[in-house]
Amino acid sequence: MAKHQRKGRPTKPKESTTSTTVLKLFFAISFIILGLLVFNNISINWILGVFAVDIIVSLTYVILNKHHITESKVVRNNVRRIVAFLIMLITMFFYALALWRVDQYTPEMQITLFIGGAIIYYAVFNSTKDVSTK
């Protein structure tokens, strides 16, 4: 008997993950810089400047790649990463503001705030895996 040859799926070219690596590195450096600014009691203007740069870079990436979000898994993951980071920044900002208003903004609470921020980032990033496919 003759063996039937299966037709495989057409292979898609591998997508470049350079943008993912750059975004991960950018957000990690930004998080470290925020920590250094906060723990060294640097002016709030510098901290807000880092926030602004994060938001501008994030919006620029989304605007430049808005047509590829539905097509590219890499772009979808990067947008998830951006959303998770921005939610983390907003949450940390309002918690810090609340702590400052009740005079509880101590170094111990700052450490707790940054650990909580990292947990929020990973929670949001991991919980949005299937959102873009539905």
Side-chain angles (χ1 to χ4, degrees):
M1 290 193 123
K3 291 185 178 181
H4 293 287
Q5 294 288 331
R6 285 189 178 185
K7 290 185 180 180
R9 294 183 190 163
T11 58
K12 292 183 181 177
K14 278 208 144 207
E15 293 184 81
S16 173
T17 58
T18 305
S19 62
T20 301
T21 306
V22 169
L23 272 177
K24 283 181 183 179
L25 188 63
F26 174 75
F27 287 148
I29 290 171
S30 175
F31 192 71
I32 291 168
I33 289 173
L34 278 174
L36 291 173
L37 292 175
V38 167
F39 293 127
N40 290 322
N41 295 324
I42 305 297
S43 171
I44 190 74
N45 292 333
W46 285 96
I47 296 170
L48 293 177
V50 172
F51 274 44
V53 169
D54 290 338
I55 292 169
I56 290 169
V57 168
S58 300
L59 289 176
T60 303
Y61 180 84
V62 171
I63 289 169
L64 292 175
N65 292 296
K66 68 180 177 181
H67 298 295
H68 302 292
I69 291 174
T70 57
E71 303 166 359
S72 171
K73 186 175 182 179
V74 172
V75 174
R76 253 192 321 261
N77 283 337
N78 287 341
V79 170
R80 284 179 41 227
R81 190 172 318 280
I82 288 169
V83 168
F85 192 78
L86 292 179
I87 288 173
M88 178 201 67
L89 283 180
I90 292 167
T91 305
M92 286 176 63
F93 173 77
F94 283 109
Y95 271 113
L97 182 64
L99 289 170
W100 176 72
R101 292 209 46 198
V102 295
D103 205 27
Q104 295 292 317
Y105 194 66
T106 62
E108 294 83 14
M109 292 307 291
Q110 291 172 346
I111 293 170
T112 305
L113 189 66
F114 274 85
I115 292 170
I119 292 169
I120 289 168
Y121 170 79
Y122 285 110
V124 171
F125 182 71
N126 288 329
S127 67
T128 57
K129 283 182 183 175
D130 297 330
V131 170
S132 61
T133 59
K134 289 183 179 179

